[in-house]
Amino acid sequence: MDEGKATVRLKEPPVDICLSKANSSSLKSFLTAVRLAHRGCDIEARLTTFTPVKTSEFEKFKTKMVITSKKDYPLSKNFPYSLEHLQTSYCGLVRIDTRMLCLRNLRKLDLSHNHIKKLPATIGDLIHLQELNLNDNHLESFSVALCQSTLQTSLRSLDLSKNKIKALPVQFCQLRELTDLKLDDNELIRFPFKMGQLTKLRFLSAARNKLPFLPSEFKNLSLEYLDLFGNTFEQPKVLPIIMLQTPLTLLESSAQAVLHNRIPYGSHIIPFHLCQDLDTAKTCVCGRFCLNSFIQGTTTMNLHSVAHTVVLVDNMGGTEAPVMSYFCSVACYVNSCDMLK
């Protein structure tokens, strides 16, 4: 009490009231009055009159704010620093307000139904962000910088539906905490070929895009719900595309060694274009890696093999989709064909 702190435990309802930063003498008087009242005694001591809390002071501790019209959007004052959930929809935003990027406690950010064209890399500074909703904007890409930010360990749910995204970078698969991903109504022509690294993904929706096939690592997913309706899936090609090199180039051999032995690399060690080559290396069905020497072939897979609930791929009742696979040698290709048979 001498430090202005006390805890009052109530039996009904069963809650603890924690007091802090109180005037020690006032706190002692208050607790004395509470004790006397609890015993049924008359209270002669007069309690000091407290000044009501101002609305502006209370708003500083708000954890949730929902704004759904342009006229309600705050222009002259900052957002409460304590916000954990912020929604600003139908506000006509063409870029993300930098004031939002200072809200270090944000866990859910909903910027749906605006006109945002580009995402700043500083979104990655929101270290607690778990849900990001960008549905119905004008986005054309999702940057590599965001994929390599703290979102790797925090982001659980991402909604990019109803945008103009044509492709996601291969680094997108570093967002390995993702459980929910919505990509409906974009212009996607491919998935990142390392899609199988999203091992925690459970809900995936990418309906009404322009996907011609799925990457081979798609088979590694374990989903509860999958929706790929309305994509322009192609029929598997009968003949493979052969791009084998004999003997392997020094670049190919070096790249295989680096990736196989998991040797760390970066643009501070090797040229940036070599980093890109390593990032986009293809994985053979045998587990080996290949850059420019491979056989490319397509097969089909039943989507029920990776998802419990599957929305039909087309109006004909189909649940199969073409898969693009890569093989590091003729032997791997032949063995794969034999297994399929």
Side-chain angles (χ1 to χ4, degrees):
M1 285 190 292
D2 291 335
E3 297 178 5
K5 301 176 182 178
T7 301
V8 180
R9 172 161 290 180
L10 303 184
K11 292 182 178 180
E12 187 61 38
V15 296
D16 287 349
I17 300 175
C18 299
L19 306 173
S20 64
K21 299 181 181 179
N23 178 280
S24 59
S25 59
S26 298
L27 180 60
K28 291 176 182 178
S29 299
F30 170 70
L31 293 177
T32 299
V34 170
R35 188 178 294 110
L36 291 173
H38 181 60
R39 294 174 181 171
C41 304
D42 291 334
I43 303 173
E44 297 179 358
R46 293 181 61 124
L47 298 179
T48 56
T49 303
F50 292 100
T51 305
V53 178
K54 297 178 181 178
T55 304
S56 59
E57 289 295 316
F58 175 74
E59 283 189 344
K60 289 182 180 179
F61 302 99
K62 287 179 67 173
T63 58
K64 181 177 181 179
M65 176 179 283
V66 177
I67 305 167
T68 55
S69 67
K70 189 182 294 187
K71 64 180 180 63
D72 295 328
Y73 192 83
L75 296 174
S76 58
K77 61 179 182 179
N78 288 328
F79 295 100
Y81 70 90
S82 56
L83 283 182
E84 296 180 6
H85 177 183
L86 174 61
Q87 177 179 350
T88 56
S89 302
Y90 303 100
C91 295
L93 298 178
V94 295
R95 64 178 64 88
I96 294 181
D97 193 330
T98 54
R99 294 176 297 168
M100 299 177 186
L101 305 176
C102 299
L103 303 175
R104 301 302 184 186
N105 296 317
L106 266 190
R107 297 180 181 275
K108 183 176 181 179
L109 179 58
D110 187 342
L111 299 167
S112 58
H113 309 290
N114 283 293
H115 308 297
I116 299 171
K117 296 181 178 181
K118 189 175 181 181
L119 300 176
T122 42
I123 288 183
D125 296 336
L126 300 174
I127 60 174
H128 299 296
L129 192 63
Q130 295 181 358
E131 298 181 39
L132 179 58
N133 187 348
L134 294 159
N135 172 44
D136 192 18
N137 276 280
H138 297 166
L139 294 173
E140 296 181 357
S141 64
F142 194 86
S143 72
V144 173
L146 284 177
C147 300
Q148 296 177 332
S149 68
T150 55
L151 295 181
Q152 288 184 359
T153 56
S154 67
L155 197 62
R156 306 289 191 273
S157 176
L158 177 61
D159 189 345
L160 294 172
S161 51
K162 294 186 179 179
N163 279 281
K164 300 177 181 180
I165 299 173
K166 293 183 179 180
L168 295 170
V170 65
Q171 292 85 357
F172 184 85
C173 301
Q174 295 176 14
L175 300 174
R176 299 190 182 181
E177 297 300 317
L178 274 182
T179 59
D180 294 69
L181 177 59
K182 296 180 181 179
L183 298 166
D184 304 312
D185 300 292
N186 275 280
E187 300 174 10
L188 282 175
I189 57 174
R190 65 176 182 272
F191 276 138
F193 63 87
K194 293 186 178 181
M195 197 80 176
Q197 294 180 356
L198 298 176
T199 56
K200 294 187 179 181
L201 195 63
R202 295 294 176 265
F203 182 104
L204 173 59
S205 182
R208 296 171 297 280
N209 279 279
K210 300 177 181 179
L211 296 170
F213 53 79
L214 303 177
S216 58
E217 287 198 20
F218 199 88
K219 297 177 181 179
N220 298 334
L221 295 177
S222 180
L223 305 171
E224 295 176 7
Y225 179 90
L226 174 62
D227 183 0
L228 297 176
F229 178 80
N231 279 281
T232 55
F233 287 125
E234 298 176 354
Q235 290 297 319
K237 296 178 181 178
V238 177
L239 297 176
I241 298 174
I242 301 176
M243 298 183 65
L244 292 176
Q245 299 173 350
T246 306
L248 292 179
T249 64
L250 180 59
L251 172 62
E252 190 83 21
S253 299
S254 303
Q256 288 183 1
V258 169
L259 294 170
H260 177 73
N261 294 292
R262 299 183 179 180
I263 299 173
Y265 62 87
S267 57
H268 62 291
I269 302 174
I270 58 176
F272 179 72
H273 71 276
L274 293 180
C275 293
Q276 288 183 310
D277 288 341
L278 292 169
D279 287 342
T280 56
K282 301 159 185 65
T283 307
C284 176
V285 292
C286 72
R288 293 193 186 97
F289 299 94
C290 39
L291 261 63
N292 302 311
S293 177
F294 56 82
I295 298 176
Q296 177 183 300
T298 52
T299 57
T300 59
M301 68 174 290
N302 192 316
L303 298 177
H304 280 292
S305 63
V306 296
H308 181 269
T309 301
V310 177
V311 176
L312 299 180
V313 173
D314 51 44
N315 292 321
M316 304 300 292
T319 57
E320 292 196 344
V323 177
M324 181 71 72
S325 299
Y326 294 90
F327 310 91
C328 66
S329 65
V330 174
C332 285
Y333 177 73
V334 172
N335 290 337
S336 179
C337 290
D338 290 341
M339 286 188 290
L340 289 172
K341 290 177 183 178

